[in-house]
Amino acid sequence: MSSTLASRTVAVAVMGVGLVGSEFVRQLRSLPSPHPFRLISLSSSKAIVFNPDGIPSSTDWRALLRDAVSASATASSASSASASGATSRLTDLTHSLAKLVRNDNTVVFVDNTSSEDVANAYPVLLRSGVHVVTPNKKAFSGTQTLYDQIVKASLEGGTKFLHESTVGAGLPIISTLNDLVATGDKVTRIEGVFSGTLSYIFNEFSTGSADGPAFSTVVRTARDKGYTEPHPADDLNGADVARKLAILTRLLTKPPATAPPISLPEGYASVPTSSLIPPGLDLSSVPTGDTFLKALQAHDLHFDALRAQAAQQGGGGAVLRYVGVIDVNAENPGGPSVKASLERYPTTHPFAASLGGSDNIIMFYTERYGPRPLIIQVTAMGVLSDLLKLA
């Protein structure tokens, strides 16, 4: 390996090459030359391609991975390898990246998966001197124990973990929060529409009128357009919003922030979350997305009533929006709190008037901005933006 090359570039190892990962690789390879990054590794769930000197930009990386998968399958067949192969490959990659760090390379591990196993490896990577960039919510919204291990490992390894894309689908939410805290502002409340899926559903379902399309029809359309998971219950349960709230709560209440602590020992599972799945709909009886949508039709009248009640609210009516709220005002009757729930907003509110399609919108209430919140509703490049910070 060229020591000159190592001193001039940032070695990038990419884990996960699905939709998100493939787009990241495309963006990375599209950066104008010269740039400081060299792509040294690509990993799927079945194989790893690793070249410490860099994978040439002219190389068909998909073909490389296909060849690696074939070779891995042959080796596994010959050795009767178990399902632990993926874990073994991750361990080997971690050791290889740590060796590069010891050879004075700057190394970044980009995790584009949603794997808990990969998230559990962050402490080892960070402690070894490898920076982590990821849209994977699992590590930062999981147990407090894992989160504390990540923070401690980052300090011990002198490394950074950047995860802007875990909240707000690429909106600069985390960087904005960090900047507010770093510049001495006091954030008192964060309120937002954090789920693009649920944003689309309620933008279509609840417009301020008492009438409109059936809820199940809107959910089906959202799935057909690719906004929901294959099984829409995975979106309607509110867990994704709860994960984002857990991430922001931890950032908001850690030093140098002065907000009072909010205990989330189990991460997102500790966030009070209102599910949109009707209580009478037994998920065990609807194992597929199609059967779920068919069963959801029987509950359309319930959602119709919620929409009508919102439309009849005084002052010009209201709309329904599924939101996340973090309130760290210690003077509130219940003290600091965090929740994910379906709420009503006047038709003049930004959550009603400024949203369209699957947009996200987040409002920061702070001492500096006073009664007029700072509103974030612009797009960013997410993962690649975080990587550029390490250049």
Side-chain angles (χ1 to χ4, degrees), residues 11-372:
V12 180
V14 178
M15 174 68 69
V17 289
L19 290 175
V20 174
S22 295
E23 174 60 17
F24 170 76
V25 173
R26 187 197 67 77
Q27 291 177 0
L28 181 62
R29 287 186 148 195
S30 297
L31 289 174
S33 297
H35 62 75
F37 305 109
R38 78 181 191 276
L39 180 63
I40 63 166
S41 179
L42 292 163
S43 307
S44 70
S45 60
K46 298 179 180 180
I48 290 178
V49 173
F50 181 77
N51 182 347
D53 290 320
I55 300 170
S57 59
S58 59
T59 303
D60 183 345
W61 63 267
R62 289 183 173 85
L64 284 179
L65 262 180
R66 285 195 297 269
D67 292 344
V69 169
S70 297
S72 178
T74 301
S76 297
S77 176
S79 63
S80 300
S82 70
S84 63
T87 301
S88 177
R89 287 193 294 271
L90 178 57
T91 299
D92 291 344
L93 177 62
T94 300
H95 291 159
S96 296
L97 298 181
K99 183 177 179 180
L100 287 176
V101 172
R102 291 195 295 272
N103 290 334
D104 296 326
N105 286 264
T106 298
V107 182
V108 183
F109 179 78
V110 180
D111 174 22
N112 289 309
T113 76
S114 58
S115 166
E116 289 192 21
D117 290 336
V118 177
N120 288 334
Y122 293 176
V124 175
L125 286 161
L126 291 163
R127 192 175 293 110
S128 299
V130 178
H131 303 285
V132 173
V133 169
T134 183
N136 187 349
K137 304 179 187 68
K138 299 294 175 64
F140 313 107
S141 63
T143 66
Q144 189 67 42
T145 299
L146 175 58
Y147 184 75
D148 289 343
Q149 290 173 352
I150 290 172
V151 173
K152 181 180 179 182
S154 174
L155 292 173
E156 292 175 350
T159 47
K160 295 180 179 180
F161 54 94
L162 302 176
H163 53 104
E164 185 70 73
S165 292
T166 57
V167 179
L171 297 178
I173 303 305
I174 289 176
S175 58
T176 297
L177 176 57
N178 287 336
D179 288 346
L180 288 170
V181 171
T183 56
D185 201 357
K186 183 177 180 181
V187 180
T188 58
R189 181 181 175 93
I190 301 174
E191 186 172 7
V193 175
F194 291 94
S195 166
T197 299
L198 298 181
S199 178
Y200 173 84
I201 288 173
F202 284 101
N203 286 339
E204 295 295 312
F205 176 74
S206 178
T207 61
S209 170
D211 301 319
F215 186 74
S216 63
T217 299
V218 175
V219 176
R220 181 180 294 277
T221 301
R223 192 187 69 154
D224 291 344
K225 290 187 174 183
Y227 289 128
T228 76
E229 296 294 333
H231 199 309
D234 294 334
D235 295 289
L236 297 181
N237 62 17
D240 180 66
V241 176
R243 284 190 180 278
K244 294 171 181 177
L245 292 174
I247 292 168
L248 290 178
T249 298
R250 285 169 169 167
L251 290 173
L252 183 57
T253 58
K254 75 173 187 179
T258 58
I262 298 176
S263 177
L264 299 175
E266 299 302 318
Y268 82 99
S270 297
V271 175
T273 304
S274 298
S275 175
L276 294 169
I277 301 170
L281 204 166
D282 180 10
L283 288 181
S284 65
S285 66
V286 286
T288 69
D290 287 335
T291 55
F292 173 80
L293 287 170
K294 185 175 181 180
L296 188 61
Q297 295 176 16
H299 302 273
D300 280 337
L301 290 179
H302 164 70
F303 290 99
D304 286 348
L306 293 177
R307 176 173 55 194
Q309 291 165 10
Q312 293 163 8
Q313 180 171 299
V319 298
L320 299 171
R321 296 292 182 261
Y322 195 91
V323 300
V325 178
I326 304 169
D327 194 328
V328 293
N329 189 344
E331 298 179 1
N332 288 339
S337 63
V338 55
K339 68 174 182 176
S341 59
L342 184 65
E343 302 290 343
R344 300 177 188 174
Y345 288 89
T347 54
T348 55
H349 191 279
F351 290 179
S354 299
L355 279 178
S358 60
D359 289 349
N360 295 142
I361 182 171
I362 289 84
M363 305 169 71
F364 291 90
Y365 291 85
T366 78
E367 287 189 347
R368 182 180 301 154
Y369 284 90
R372 297 177 64 86

